[in-house]
Amino acid sequence: ALGPALNLEDWLFEILKTIQVPVRSITAAAVSSGDHRAATRVLKQSLCLSWRLGLVIALFSYFCTPPLLHLSGVSSSSPLFGPGRNYLVPRLWGTPGLLTLIVLQAVLTGAFKDTKTVLQLVLLGAVVNSILTPMFLICAGWGTAGA
């Protein structure tokens, strides 16, 4: 059940990562020219765009999960459909947060050359995930939705 859902999620993530390129380039150019206000403006605009885009994707995915899973080869009559949907919908509701992290990573690595903070954010996310996933799976009994 998770295979097709992960396939869709990975596909979407690869597309969403492309937001890094312009954000990294524009903020790096602003910082290198000494215009920190422009870099701050780009960061604010990029975060607003990522939140709006993430919300649109989350809403779209909520209503379009059946056709998306069908594109992955899982029909609505398949026994994999229910668990796949239960996993995919909550994951896609996290898209605004994912895009926020992508934008922050682009700004930190591109404009400020700060890879240490990016690594710390990734490690923090891994620790939080390793704690919350078992809690949602076992304690809350959410099954695939808790993953």
Side-chain angles (χ1 to χ4, degrees):
L2 297 182
L6 282 172
N7 187 24
L8 287 169
E9 183 185 19
D10 288 344
W11 175 74
L12 179 65
F13 178 69
E14 292 300 321
I15 291 172
L16 294 177
K17 280 193 324 187
T18 60
I19 197 172
Q20 285 183 342
V21 176
V23 171
R24 183 178 291 126
S25 300
I26 295 169
T27 53
V31 169
S32 66
S33 69
D35 191 357
H36 292 286
R37 285 187 178 186
T40 303
R41 187 175 58 251
V42 170
L43 174 61
K44 288 178 183 178
Q45 290 172 347
S46 299
L47 287 173
C48 286
L49 173 67
S50 69
W51 296 330
R52 289 175 182 155
L53 181 62
L55 186 58
V56 166
I57 290 170
L59 289 171
F60 174 79
S61 67
Y62 181 76
F63 294 108
C64 296
T65 300
L68 290 173
L69 284 172
H70 185 71
L71 286 173
S72 260
V74 179
S75 67
S76 58
S77 61
S78 169
L80 299 177
F81 180 80
R85 182 183 179 132
N86 290 344
Y87 176 80
L88 187 60
V89 170
R91 294 288 292 189
L92 292 176
W93 275 106
T95 304
L98 173 67
L99 281 171
T100 299
L101 291 175
I102 289 172
V103 166
L104 290 174
Q105 179 183 1
V107 169
L108 290 170
T109 58
F112 302 106
K113 309 292 186 227
D114 184 4
T115 55
K116 183 178 179 183
T117 303
V118 173
L119 177 62
Q120 289 170 342
L121 287 171
V122 170
L123 291 175
L124 177 65
V127 168
V128 169
N129 188 38
S130 66
I131 293 169
L132 290 180
T133 299
M135 288 177 54
F136 289 149
L137 284 171
I138 299 166
C139 299
W142 287 5
T144 54

